Amino acid sequence: MVAAAPLVAQSPPADSTIQRWITERVTNGYATGIVVGVRDRGRDRIVAAGGAQRDGRPVGAESFFEIGSITKVFTNILLADMVLKGEVALEDPVQKYLPAGVTMPSRNGKVITLLDLATASSGLPSLGNNMAPKDPRNPYADYSVQQMYEFLSAHTLRRDPGERYEYSNIGMGLLGHVLGLRAGKPYEVLLRERVLKPLGMRETFIVMPSDKVARFAVPHDADLEEAFPWDLPTLAGAGALRSTTRDMLRFADAVTHRDRGPLGKAIAFSIEPRRPTTSPNMRIALGWHVREANGRSIVWHNGGTGGFRTFLGFDPATGAHSMVWSNSSNSVDDLGLHLIDSTVARMRTPPQVNVAVPAETLREYVGSYALAPGVVIAVSEAQGKLFVQITGQPRFVLWPESATNFYLRVVPAKVRFAADSTGAMTLTLDQGGREQRAKRQ
């Protein structure tokens, strides 16, 4: 069991300190904009830096962000509420709620239950193998319910249900879908009636109302290029919600004061750790992850879409909680955890580097570099920027420190170009303390 919420919450750092930390991340090019929300001795504190909404104003307390996979904890509070009211049971087979003609995969006589979906232990992969988006910039938008059903009916499990933790977006999307089927209502309608409305969350949506769009933060990818919003019509329960810091502070108040409110019992039920994960100090509750280290538990979830990264967490023993929203897709988990537990290391971001390298110099590095058998690093140039793409991975910008030395923002890695003794161009990848050299083909 997770301990009950305390009477007095731990104080987070001063606003001026938080402001300095997030401003550093914006000015050095790690993030476009960041909003931090905490509750200190019953008072909401919100600190923001950088970014822009659709209307051009900086991001702030009322800006809308895609919260991504934090949606999963809402789906599981809905599940907990339905369990406690006797509408479903954790041990129910998922098959029980699917239409005739749809077959859930099973293995060795073991079927996938609602608990398996809720604890990422179903044996289902992250996504269906029949996902082929027409527009990769909005990859879930055209994935249909029929495609999900076809995937489930044809899929062969690699392990028994309940055997092992394996993060699954299609599994959590399926959970939201079957809860809607059980209630006879679309997921968004059900979630609003059973969770959002009781908690007083009036600015949390899947489909943004037209009069709210101006406050939607402009999404950016890891290289701070403008990205596309994501739509998840079929897998809504896995990551479709958009919300504001102000509204999510209402949610944080509910989860840290579970002794009151209409969903207190469901929230308490949802945060009980139930199964191990693949990390030694982490267990999973219903959707929530529970980090157990240094004698403390932190209940948390993060989120990531094509242009947003988010974090929400709290310590049930102290009531300390934090949320961090960024409208660029570089992780903010370290900052969110540090704001709850100062023993968790906060990432020291590199200093800002702003070196202009002529396009003709960049073009000298363009080509394919053989890193290992079957692994090629493709280097390209466009509009005065250098890009790198490793076999099987997305393309990322290389940011210059000098005319020959570059770094990536999406991961802590550096790339160096030089001509060898024969005049052939070489690339050296420095990542994780290991240098790998590749010659241009």
Side-chain angles (χ1 to χ4, degrees):
M1 295 286 290
V2 176
L7 297 175
V8 180
Q10 170 180 304
S11 294
D15 287 359
S16 58
T17 300
I18 298 173
Q19 185 75 62
R20 174 169 53 83
W21 290 345
I22 63 177
T23 299
E24 286 174 352
R25 296 186 181 216
V26 171
T27 57
N28 71 17
Y30 183 81
T32 303
I34 299 177
V35 183
V36 172
V38 294
R39 181 156 288 163
D40 185 11
R41 289 183 285 269
R43 181 175 66 91
D44 290 347
R45 291 169 44 193
I46 298 174
V47 185
Q53 300 177 160
R54 289 292 186 204
D55 60 8
R57 290 184 295 171
V59 294
E62 312 300 333
S63 301
F64 283 92
F65 291 77
E66 293 178 351
I67 67 171
S69 288
I70 295 175
T71 304
K72 292 177 171 68
V73 305
F74 286 86
T75 300
N76 278 279
I77 291 171
L78 175 60
L79 168 65
D81 186 55
M82 294 178 74
V83 168
L84 293 178
K85 291 177 177 175
E87 298 167 82
V88 299
L90 292 180
E91 297 76 20
D92 283 347
V94 178
Q95 184 73 62
K96 177 179 179 180
Y97 300 109
L98 290 173
V102 181
T103 303
M104 280 295 294
S106 60
R107 191 171 187 268
N108 293 330
K110 295 182 179 179
V111 299
I112 297 174
T113 66
L114 297 181
L115 178 62
D116 294 328
L117 295 182
T119 57
S121 306
S122 65
L124 293 173
S126 177
L127 294 170
N129 59 9
N130 61 345
M131 187 173 172
K134 293 178 181 177
D135 188 348
R137 297 171 299 181
N138 193 4
Y140 296 84
D142 56 356
Y143 191 68
S144 67
V145 172
Q146 183 59 35
Q147 284 177 292
M148 179 174 67
Y149 287 168
E150 290 171 355
F151 163 73
L152 293 171
S153 296
H155 184 66
T156 300
L157 295 176
R158 297 177 299 168
R159 58 180 61 90
D160 291 353
E163 178 182 326
R164 187 173 184 269
Y165 171 90
E166 182 178 2
Y167 198 82
S168 175
N169 283 304
I170 195 167
M172 200 63 73
L174 175 62
L175 178 60
H177 178 73
V178 297
L179 293 178
L181 292 178
R182 171 65 181 87
K185 298 178 180 180
Y187 170 81
E188 183 174 16
V189 173
L190 182 64
L191 187 70
R192 184 157 304 282
E193 289 181 357
R194 302 285 289 265
V195 179
L196 301 179
K197 187 176 180 180
L199 295 182
M201 299 182 70
R202 297 179 296 275
E203 292 208 305
T204 299
F205 307 97
I206 290 177
V207 178
M208 291 280 293
S210 59
D211 63 339
K212 311 285 187 185
V213 171
R215 290 192 277 129
F216 188 71
V218 179
H220 295 78
D221 64 19
D223 292 317
L224 308 193
E225 300 290 342
E226 188 170 337
F228 275 61
W230 278 10
D231 302 297
L232 294 82
T234 296
L235 304 182
L241 285 175
R242 286 128 173 179
S243 189
T244 68
T245 308
R246 186 78 69 195
D247 221 30
M248 288 298 292
L249 281 167
R250 295 185 180 95
F251 180 67
D253 186 50
V255 298
T256 53
H257 294 88
R258 300 174 302 283
D259 55 335
R260 62 174 186 255
L263 288 170
K265 291 181 180 179
I267 291 169
F269 188 73
S270 76
I271 67 172
E272 294 179 17
R274 296 175 186 273
R275 286 180 174 172
T277 69
T278 52
S279 299
N281 66 337
M282 198 85 67
R283 290 190 290 166
I284 188 166
L286 299 183
W288 296 95
H289 291 85
V290 183
R291 178 185 184 272
E292 297 167 326
N294 303 319
R296 300 184 65 179
S297 293
I298 296 177
V299 182
W300 67 279
H301 212 295
N302 59 6
T305 62
F308 296 89
R309 288 298 293 265
T310 56
F311 174 91
L312 170 69
F314 66 97
D315 182 342
T318 67
H321 72 256
S322 74
M323 57 192 68
V324 186
W325 317 124
S326 175
N327 61 326
S328 53
S329 60
N330 289 316
S331 177
V332 293
D333 293 359
D334 66 296
L335 181 55
L337 287 166
H338 182 81
L339 288 168
I340 303 170
D341 181 358
S342 61
T343 66
V344 178
R346 178 178 60 84
M347 179 181 67
R348 300 302 194 267
T349 52
Q352 183 179 14
V353 177
N354 187 17
V355 177
V357 180
E360 54 268 26
T361 300
L362 298 178
R363 294 187 192 109
E364 294 177 6
Y365 307 137
V366 170
S368 297
Y369 297 78
L371 187 66
V375 180
V376 173
I377 300 178
V379 176
S380 57
E381 183 274 337
Q383 300 179 333
K385 288 185 178 181
L386 204 61
F387 298 86
V388 63
Q389 185 172 21
I390 299 178
T391 301
Q393 297 186 20
R395 187 180 77 159
F396 300 112
V397 176
L398 282 175
W399 299 92
E401 292 181 317
S402 69
T404 58
N405 294 0
F406 299 78
Y407 69 98
L408 287 88
R409 288 173 174 166
V410 65
V411 292
K414 293 188 176 184
V415 169
R416 183 172 67 253
F417 295 95
D420 67 12
S421 58
T422 68
M425 187 61 65
T426 64
L427 175 155
T428 300
L429 174 64
D430 182 355
Q431 184 175 10
R434 179 188 178 196
E435 290 192 351
Q436 294 176 275
R437 192 180 183 196
K439 182 180 290 189
R440 186 163 60 189
Q441 296 176 327

